[in-house]
Every structure is written in C-alpha cells, then in structure tokens.
Amino acid sequence: MTDRDYEVGESITVPWGLDTVEGTVVGSYGEGISRRVLVEVNVGDGATETLPFSPRALEVARKEEAQSPPGEWVTAARFEESVGEALSEALLEFSPRWDGTIHSQPRLASDVRIDLAAHIGDRLVIAEAKHYGPGRPVENMMAVEQLRHHLTRLQAQGQAKVVALLIMDRQPGMQMMKRAHSMRMEGFPIWVVEWEPNNPRADDELRVVLSQAAVYEFADN
C-alpha cells in the first residue's frame, strides 16, 4: 500500500523523532521512488512546518501506530524513567563533580524536544530512550536520522558542543551502528547503545558510550 493516494487535507500519522504524530497532507511531488508527500506538522507553540515524507515512511509510521497496544505509552514512560536513572548513575561515576541534574522532556529549541538532557563538562548530552520490546535487531534508521536533525538545528542555533545518545531496549542492527559511526565522522556525535534495567553488563556498555561522548573532539569553530 505504499503507492496509495494521499488526499490534500487528509489527516495521517507521520514519523517524528522516536514517536509518531498527526499531520495534514498539503501536497505531493515526484514519481516512483522519488515521490514525496508534503505533510504539515505542528512543531509546538502554535508553529507548523511542512515536511516531505516518502510513502514508505508514512506506511511504516501507520503500521507502528496501529500495532501499538493500549497502554504501551505507560511501558515506554517507565523505560524512559529507568534510562534517566541509569544515565544519572553513569554520569556521577564518570564525573563526581557533575551537578546531578537530568532534565526530562526539555525543549531545546522551538521544534526540538528531547527525552533527557544533562550538562557535563563543556558539553550538553541529549538522550532519546526508545522502547521496542523483544524482537530482531533494529535496522530502522528514523531514530538516528532524527537525532542528526536535532543536532543540525542545535548547531545552527549556536549550541556547538552537543552529543547525542540513542538508548534502546533492543539490539541495534549492524547498519544502524555503521550509520551512527559515519555520522560521528561527519561531525554529528551520535551513539547507539542497547540497555535494559537490572543488567550490569548493559550498565557497563552505557558507561563506555558515555565516556566516548564525554571526550569527543569537536571541530574548531
């Protein structure tokens, strides 16, 4: 159904960050694999932005929304809370002088809201907590690409030293790990790590990733 027609004015679900949001179709352009559907999305504070989506991305978002069981957001919220606690412990271990403040759902810009954020040293650490549950390794790149989008916007607004973590409860696929590595080489410091509560080995992996993010060398501005 990825070649279905989208009518102007139709309300549809679109991928946004690590979740999905409602948007309104305002147009389309292109054909075949180059086809894009233009969707107007509310980005907060009454502002809207028109973004292009491939029909495939819209179909994936629709399926994810339809397959989410009732109450799934509760499980995701608890996972995010657990990630915040683990991140706090890791930061304190890495830097005893850290002020101990984890910000939940901060708005970093007019259209950038993050699950978790904290300052350590000369940089801002932002983190997205993604709850998937059991399953095959994740190869969907939308979460990583959205973090890159966030970093781009923050850098454009003068926040040059920002590092990003994608923390999820399922193993990241090889292509996702390669994409995150290539982004770091391009100047977008993003790390992907699998983590779950009550797993000391996962805590160790989180500390390793955090230590890498804390010493990442930014290009001179």
Side-chain angles (χ1 to χ4, degrees):
M1 294 181 61
T2 56
D3 59 350
R4 61 164 288 213
D5 291 330
Y6 289 90
E7 301 291 337
V8 172
E10 178 183 354
S11 295
I12 60 173
T13 298
V14 301
W16 183 253
L18 302 181
D19 299 299
T20 57
V21 297
E22 291 296 317
T24 302
V25 177
V26 295
S28 64
Y29 64 87
E31 297 181 356
I33 62 174
S34 298
R35 185 182 176 213
R36 294 295 181 267
V37 180
L38 295 172
V39 183
E40 185 178 78
V41 179
N42 187 330
V43 296
D45 296 332
T48 60
E49 187 171 343
T50 299
L51 302 171
F53 294 92
S54 69
R56 174 58 180 163
L58 296 178
E59 181 67 9
V60 169
R62 185 189 68 80
K63 287 182 178 179
E64 288 183 352
E65 184 74 8
Q67 292 172 0
S68 296
E72 175 66 14
W73 68 271
V74 176
T75 302
R78 288 174 178 168
F79 177 70
E80 180 181 322
E81 182 178 352
S82 296
V83 167
E85 293 172 355
L87 186 61
S88 178
E89 292 178 2
L91 285 167
L92 280 172
E93 183 172 325
F94 180 79
S95 178
R97 294 186 178 182
W98 176 58
D99 66 8
T101 302
I102 292 279
H103 301 280
S104 179
Q105 294 291 323
R107 185 182 295 279
L108 303 181
S110 61
D111 61 344
V112 179
R113 186 181 290 278
I114 299 295
D115 286 343
L116 303 161
H119 283 89
I120 179 171
D122 65 346
R123 64 202 57 202
L124 175 66
V125 180
I126 62 175
E128 287 282 7
K130 182 62 173 175
H131 169 70
Y132 287 100
R136 293 179 296 178
V138 178
E139 292 291 4
N140 191 316
M141 299 291 181
M142 285 193 293
V144 177
E145 294 295 340
Q146 191 62 51
L147 278 176
R148 185 182 188 279
H149 170 76
H150 289 341
L151 290 180
T152 300
R153 297 301 298 273
L154 292 170
Q155 290 171 359
Q157 295 176 16
Q159 298 190 54
K161 293 189 174 182
V162 185
V163 295
L165 309 180
L166 173 58
I167 305 171
M168 54 195 208
D169 63 349
R170 190 189 298 178
Q171 180 182 356
M174 184 61 67
Q175 293 305 312
M176 177 182 281
M177 296 297 288
K178 288 182 178 180
R179 180 61 178 141
H181 180 267
S182 68
M183 286 181 176
R184 293 196 295 274
M185 298 300 101
E186 297 166 7
F188 298 96
I190 298 171
W191 286 262
V192 181
V193 61
E194 179 185 9
W195 181 87
E196 60 182 358
N198 304 314
N199 184 335
R201 186 172 182 178
D203 291 336
D204 290 341
E205 289 294 326
L206 180 58
R207 284 191 288 268
V208 168
V209 167
L210 182 62
S211 66
Q212 294 173 357
V215 299
Y216 176 84
E217 294 187 8
F218 292 91
D220 294 333
N221 295 318

